[in-house]
Amino acid sequence: MTTMQDKHTWSGRFSEPVAELVKRYTASVEFDKRLALFDIQGSLAHAQMLAACDIISTRDLDLIQHGMAEIKEEIVQGNFIWSLDLEDVHLNIEKRLTALAGDAGKRLHTGRSRNDQVATDVRLYLRQAIDDLLILVQGLQAALVDLAARHTHTIMPGFTHLQVAQPVSFAHHLLAYFEMLKRDAERLTDARRRVNRLPLGAAALAGTSYPIKREMVAELLDFEGICENSLDAVSDRDFAIEFTAAAALIMTHLSRLSEELILWMSPRFGFIDIADRFCTGSSIMPQKKNPDVPELVRGKTGRVTGHLMALLTLMKSQPLAYNKDNQEDKEPLFDTVDTLTQTLRIYADMIGGITVKPEAMRSAALQGYATATDLADYLVKKGVPFRDAHEAVALAVRHAEQRHCDLADLALEELKRFSPLVEQDIYAVLTLEGSLAARNHTGGTAPQQVKAAIERARSYLSR
Ligand code: ARG
């Protein structure tokens, strides 16, 4: 009798082996071998259930468990021999198991298909990845909070349209990213709930005729529940798409911070310095120190967003149920996890290595009429309607501009020309400190509020 292995065909149904090119084209082992330990984990739970349901004997289970233990060891040690002829991670492991455990190995696939097997593996993999990523997101948040805690009173210009708008606490600016990452973590946690469901038991697409217990497998694998429709279980990859969308948003947030770090490090701003170990020089211009890491993060954001588009496009219009298209889910997903993992790790370190230059921030904040709104608010508090106050201050700014000075440099008599209601106490309002202190409510930039926000952030991180 010829077997699948010695003819390299699927079964007696095929009259010729798969063409060499086609074999290479359809094989996934090169990348899905990364799922190996999750594949074994899933197989062991499946086998345990098969034995509990008397579908295989306890002796078979024992042989499967011993064989899998050996295979796991071989994989961990790097001694496992992967074969392209065996197409994917599942068939490679099953073949090796059969070599070690004989017929018991061949019985493992009872009541199962690679379709529900691979969906299970990817979910186990992604669940672990999400848990690891959540720790890294927290690490970055902690780094931001630590830096912020040292700069509640450091004043920088806040920007809109990249034009100086109003002075803000540098800590307040950093904490904006803390909030983004908090939502990012929520998104990951939420996606995890839908990742954490068991497809096994769906078999190829319709379920299986063996008396299986899916709930038992779910419990063994720590899934929160089972996928309730077999066709859906084997075919949809929405959980991977959702995760990648959350990942793309994290990268998008980090691309914003990266852009700012790059600007701030440019001598034109000179707000910060990034530690040398995160920068490179130029091979031709000896004076250069380039912010390579944030630039690459900015660039890699496109890569992860691309993976999201790839996965959405992969899923689009796929008829039920499983289609081989879905084999293409792995590389984008793995690369998303890898890119995000490396990015979060390096970012937390880099934030810890930032030198802040408060003097440069301060003088920039003093340059752009950043307290003009405070002057308008001052007039409003004296009874001037806001729109009129806005206009009066606009004229005052224009005047100061012509004189090449700041609003605070104008004499009281000059200021009174724009509104007779201006008194000596205006000078306290026009200082950067006064401007910050005035925004004293939850979510505002007053140092007192920023300190409270840091406290909240710390208790969030230690929860
Ligand atoms: N390597 C395949 C994948 O990644 C496993 C499932 C293949 N199933 C099949 N009937 N060809 O999706």
Side-chain angles (χ1 to χ4, degrees):
M1 196 186 93
T2 45
T3 67
M4 163 184 130
Q5 284 79 24
D6 49 53
K7 268 186 77 188
H8 297 163
T9 64
W10 283 104
S11 63
R13 190 196 171 291
F14 289 76
S15 55
E16 58 173 358
V18 173
E20 197 54 37
L21 257 181
V22 174
K23 201 189 310 172
R24 247 190 289 262
Y25 193 72
T26 56
S28 55
V29 64
E30 276 311 316
F31 50 86
D32 68 16
K33 64 183 175 198
R34 189 168 161 158
L35 296 171
L37 297 186
F38 299 104
D39 194 68
I40 292 173
Q41 191 189 356
S43 289
L44 287 173
H46 178 68
Q48 212 174 317
M49 180 277 291
L50 290 178
C53 297
D54 286 329
I55 299 167
I56 63 169
S57 68
T58 50
R59 161 133 185 90
D60 283 340
L61 174 62
D62 197 55
L63 288 166
I64 290 170
Q65 287 171 333
H66 279 95
M68 284 301 199
E70 189 160 339
I71 293 173
K72 188 171 168 181
E73 191 59 20
E74 289 173 2
I75 291 170
V76 171
Q77 300 297 331
N79 298 328
F80 190 91
I81 299 161
W82 298 99
S83 155
L84 196 77
D85 286 341
L86 292 166
E87 195 180 319
D88 59 22
V89 61
H90 322 293
L91 295 178
N92 268 270
I93 291 178
E94 193 185 321
K95 168 85 191 302
R96 179 73 185 129
L97 181 69
T98 301
L100 292 168
D103 283 354
K106 295 188 196 166
R107 291 200 179 99
L108 171 63
H109 212 52
T110 313
R112 182 176 79 168
S113 150
R114 279 185 300 153
N115 297 352
D116 57 347
Q117 187 179 356
V118 70
T120 302
D121 293 3
V122 174
R123 284 169 183 265
L124 287 171
Y125 160 82
L126 188 51
R127 181 178 72 185
Q128 181 64 56
I130 290 175
D131 290 345
D132 295 343
L133 285 166
L134 280 168
I135 292 170
L136 293 175
V137 170
Q138 283 228 8
L140 175 53
Q141 286 180 298
L144 287 166
V145 173
D146 284 346
L147 184 60
R150 279 178 267 137
H151 292 285
T152 51
H153 290 271
T154 301
I155 300 178
M156 67 177 278
F159 298 90
T160 60
H161 314 271
L162 204 54
Q163 309 291 319
V164 171
Q166 291 171 354
V168 293
S169 149
F170 181 53
H172 193 52
H173 192 112
L174 293 172
L175 290 180
Y177 288 100
F178 175 88
E179 292 295 319
M180 293 179 222
L181 290 167
K182 204 163 86 183
R183 294 193 297 279
D184 288 330
E186 278 173 24
R187 267 184 283 274
L188 287 178
T189 305
D190 193 52
R192 188 190 190 279
R193 289 171 41 224
R194 286 176 289 280
V195 169
N196 203 19
R197 303 208 159 254
L198 177 79
L200 271 181
L205 75 163
T208 173
S209 57
Y210 299 94
I212 57 167
K213 284 207 180 93
R214 297 186 66 204
E215 287 76 10
M216 177 184 168
V217 182
E219 212 174 299
L220 286 170
L221 294 174
D222 229 355
F223 279 114
E224 277 169 57
I226 59 171
C227 301
E228 296 201 359
N229 178 293
S230 62
L231 298 165
D232 175 47
V234 292
S235 63
D236 207 343
R237 295 292 182 267
D238 59 353
F239 63 91
I241 296 174
E242 232 186 289
F243 162 77
T244 307
L249 264 174
I250 298 178
M251 291 300 293
T252 299
H253 287 152
L254 295 184
S255 79
R256 298 181 67 190
L257 180 52
S258 297
E259 174 81 356
E260 298 201 309
L261 295 179
I262 293 161
L263 287 171
W264 295 345
M265 198 179 122
S266 136
R268 292 286 165 154
F269 278 76
F271 287 2
I272 60 161
D273 208 3
I274 295 176
D276 286 357
R277 62 183 181 282
F278 298 100
C279 301
T280 62
S282 155
S283 52
I284 177 165
M285 297 166 283
Q287 85 282 13
K288 290 295 287 292
K289 178 176 156 185
N290 301 325
D292 291 46
V293 171
E295 287 176 278
L296 270 174
V297 171
R298 205 170 52 177
K300 284 177 192 284
T301 303
R303 179 178 175 131
V304 173
T305 304
H307 293 327
L308 172 60
M309 293 308 126
L311 289 176
L312 281 167
T313 312
L314 173 69
M315 203 69 241
K316 183 189 172 296
S317 310
Q318 269 197 55
L320 289 177
Y322 177 85
N323 300 284
K324 186 83 167 185
D325 311 39
N326 281 343
Q327 180 165 292
E328 287 288 305
D329 65 353
K330 289 165 202 65
E331 286 165 294
L333 187 61
F334 294 162
D335 191 67
T336 296
V337 170
D338 290 344
T339 304
L340 193 54
T341 300
Q342 291 161 10
T343 301
L344 288 167
R345 242 185 229 143
I346 206 163
Y347 228 95
D349 258 22
M350 184 173 63
I351 294 296
I354 283 179
T355 309
V356 179
K357 300 175 175 171
E359 275 320 307
M361 289 185 178
R362 187 177 181 84
S363 68
L366 285 169
Q367 267 166 28
Y369 304 101
T371 58
T373 314
D374 297 273
L375 175 52
D377 290 344
Y378 172 91
L379 296 175
V380 168
K381 282 169 196 157
K382 297 209 165 188
V384 181
F386 182 77
R387 280 292 156 221
D388 295 342
H390 184 281
E391 184 57 17
V393 176
L395 294 171
V397 166
R398 191 162 151 187
H399 175 73
E401 234 168 20
Q402 278 158 3
R403 292 206 33 207
H404 303 291
C405 71
D406 192 51
L407 286 173
D409 300 326
L410 297 176
L412 187 56
E413 292 322 304
E414 276 177 292
L415 283 169
K416 271 184 182 297
R417 268 195 258 151
F418 301 98
S419 170
L421 297 170
V422 177
E423 301 295 343
Q424 188 62 39
D425 60 356
I426 190 60
Y427 292 103
V429 171
L430 292 178
T431 62
L432 299 178
E433 281 74 12
S435 176
L436 258 67
R439 285 155 175 81
N440 192 15
H441 53 77
T442 310
T445 192
Q448 191 189 333
Q449 295 295 338
V450 176
K451 280 183 188 160
I454 288 171
E455 281 318 302
R456 290 196 298 275
R458 290 221 154 117
S459 78
Y460 165 90
L461 288 172
S462 62
R463 78 204 186 281

